[in-house]
Amino acid sequence: MDVLLLVAGGVVVLLASVLGGVTGFGFALVCTPLLLLAGFPLADVVVVNLTISGLARIVVAARLRAWVNRRRALWLVLGCVPGLLLGLLLRDSVDDAVLKVGAGTVAVGVAAHLLVRSPPPRAEDAGPPPRLQSGTAGLLGGFLGVTTSLNGPPPVILLSRQRAEPREFVADLAVYFIFCNGIAIALIGLSGGLEADRLGPLLAWWLPGALLGNAVGTALGSRLPVELFRRLTLVLVLVTGLATVVTSLAGR
């Protein structure tokens, strides 16, 4: 593999990890379009993103375990399983260019939604999160996760609409990413989609920087204005998502 490409990918992963640590959800939204633009195959991007994101969230889940909404997290995880299975069945029958356009479109749509509609203040008398909504968000996330690694948007929108408290928001997403990503990797491995000779070097080079970036981002998130970083992240997602769609449609 080209060393410059490997280094460029490492820089992308590091920066995406910092932003993901700040917001709790931005890693794949930033990393997927940029790695695709750099020329990495979609299948490799999916596995690398799922692996790094899942591992990075373990520390976050442990630190914020007291803030996990167990009912919502459980239904998000349960819902992701049928979505993962459906995505695994369909991903080999859909052209990579279509999936890339879909990934870029999802990124742009979610970023625009979150930029235009900031989550309202949390209601003091908010009831328990509905199981159907949580399960549906998990299902959609599972499908997007195993096909494009963008399993965050549906749960993010759910948590925003349900006015989750910031620490609860990050904690629930961390639990969801750990289990959803882990199950996705296991299913991809069982289907023969893991190629250690290609993926091993990528993870060996990128994982240390990703974990460092996630730690830095998590620390920054507790000290600096999160809303500023959140908006910068979403603007970057809009730009990279649009670029992914345009280059895919142009036949790059």
Side-chain angles (χ1 to χ4, degrees):
M1 179 176 294
D2 190 301
V3 175
L4 289 178
L5 185 60
L6 195 61
V7 172
V11 172
V12 168
V13 169
L14 174 63
L15 296 177
S17 297
V18 174
L19 293 171
V22 171
T23 62
F25 67 89
F27 174 77
L29 282 172
V30 174
C31 207
T32 299
L34 288 176
L35 289 180
L36 291 176
L37 283 172
F40 289 94
L42 178 61
D44 291 355
V45 171
V46 168
V47 173
V48 167
N49 282 354
L50 291 175
T51 303
I52 291 176
S53 178
L55 291 175
R57 295 292 95 186
I58 292 176
V59 175
V60 176
R63 184 169 60 84
L64 297 178
R65 61 186 180 278
W67 290 91
V68 175
N69 185 309
R70 290 178 173 80
R71 171 171 167 165
R72 179 166 50 214
L74 173 63
W75 282 98
L76 282 171
V77 172
L78 291 177
C80 84
V81 175
L84 289 170
L85 293 172
L86 179 62
L88 192 67
L89 290 174
L90 295 180
R91 70 177 196 147
D92 290 334
S93 61
V94 180
D95 187 80
D96 277 4
V98 175
L99 292 176
K100 288 180 181 180
V101 171
T105 302
V106 168
V108 170
V110 173
H113 172 86
L114 294 175
L115 279 170
V116 173
R117 288 191 65 182
S118 297
R122 180 181 174 87
E124 294 297 330
D125 59 347
R131 298 176 182 176
L132 180 59
Q133 291 182 16
S134 300
T136 301
L139 185 148
L140 294 174
F143 178 82
L144 290 172
V146 79
T147 53
T148 65
S149 77
L150 296 178
N151 56 350
V156 165
I157 292 176
L158 171 80
L159 289 162
S160 296
R161 289 177 61 85
Q162 292 182 352
R163 305 168 184 175
E165 198 275 337
R167 282 171 291 189
E168 186 179 291
F169 185 105
V170 175
D172 285 5
L173 282 178
V175 172
Y176 166 75
F177 285 137
I178 290 168
F179 284 95
C180 184
N181 293 14
I183 297 170
I185 293 296
L187 291 174
I188 293 173
L190 291 173
S191 67
L194 295 180
E195 298 188 26
D197 57 333
R198 286 206 326 271
L199 297 172
L202 293 180
L203 290 172
W205 275 83
W206 294 349
L207 184 56
L211 296 177
L212 174 62
N214 183 74
V216 171
T218 302
L220 288 174
S222 63
R223 299 178 184 178
L224 300 179
V226 176
E227 184 62 22
L228 173 62
F229 277 87
R230 174 180 172 274
R231 289 189 175 276
L232 289 175
T233 301
L234 293 175
V235 169
L236 179 58
V237 170
L238 278 171
V239 173
T240 55
L242 285 171
T244 301
V245 172
V246 171
T247 54
S248 298
L249 292 176
R252 176 174 174 175

